[in-house]
């Protein structure tokens, strides 16, 4: 018998915007693009993918406020505390959630680093080893 897919929850700093995603974490990676560093105020953001159709908004605030950082990419954040929570690209079947908005951070070690060439020179990243082939 197959086990049900794992369910994870996450929320913003103030707890008004909460969500649930189902499935195995996909493509955990750091991103140092200019949008991420400006929005977060930090040198990189950890993103983790889940099936878009598994995303459920569960908090009292409902859906986040949306902001388009590219013509085909929008990001959801809490209008009260400002926490960035999700990123959804047009025509994608994945939602990317910020790794540290998740309550359970097991198994989300970054395997890649997008826009590494834009990373600050003092940041040194050791990525998780690639998963073994099945």
């Amino acid at each position: 018998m197959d086990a049900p897919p794992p369910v994870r929850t996450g929320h913003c700093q103030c707890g008004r915007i909460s969500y649930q995603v189902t499935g195995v974490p996909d493509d955990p990676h750091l991103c140092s693009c200019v949008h991420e560093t400006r929005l977060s105020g930090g040198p990189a953001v950890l993103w983790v993918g889940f099936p878009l159709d598994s995303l459920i908004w569960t908090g009292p605030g409902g859906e986040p406020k949306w902001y388009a950082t590219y013509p085909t990419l929008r990001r959801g954040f809490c209008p009260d505390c400002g926490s960035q929570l999700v990123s959804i690209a047009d025509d994608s079947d994945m939602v990317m959630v910020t790794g540290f908005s998740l309550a359970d951070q097991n198994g989300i070690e970054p395997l890649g680093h997008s826009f590494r060439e834009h990373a600050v020179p003092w940041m040194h990243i050791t990525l998780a080893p690639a998963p073994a082939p099945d």
Side-chain angles (χ1 to χ4, degrees):
M1 203 169 199
D2 291 331
V7 174
R8 294 200 188 212
T9 61
H11 60 84
C12 65
Q13 178 66 29
C14 71
R16 183 168 184 251
I17 307 293
S18 300
Y19 64 88
Q20 174 182 301
V21 286
T22 304
V24 176
D26 187 39
D27 189 26
H29 69 281
L30 295 170
C31 184
S32 290
C33 76
V34 67
H35 298 267
E36 297 300 345
T37 56
R38 184 150 301 142
L39 286 167
S40 71
V45 172
L46 174 61
W47 289 105
V48 184
F50 292 91
L52 178 58
D53 62 2
S54 79
L55 175 64
I56 300 170
W57 299 107
T58 59
E63 279 200 36
K65 185 165 174 83
W66 295 96
Y67 180 75
T69 55
Y70 289 105
T72 60
L73 182 72
R74 59 194 173 106
R75 300 169 193 275
F77 66 95
C78 176
D80 288 346
C81 68
S83 298
Q84 182 179 200
L85 297 168
V86 300
S87 175
I88 300 175
D90 290 353
D91 300 325
S92 177
D93 60 354
M94 298 293 290
V95 58
M96 301 304 287
V97 303
T98 53
F100 291 100
S101 70
L102 288 165
D104 177 3
Q105 296 162 356
N106 290 306
I108 63 167
E109 296 80 11
L111 301 174
H113 186 176
S114 302
F115 296 91
R116 182 185 304 230
E117 65 279 9
H118 296 289
V120 293
W122 47 260
M123 187 170 79
H124 301 282
I125 301 293
T126 302
L127 298 173
D134 290 332

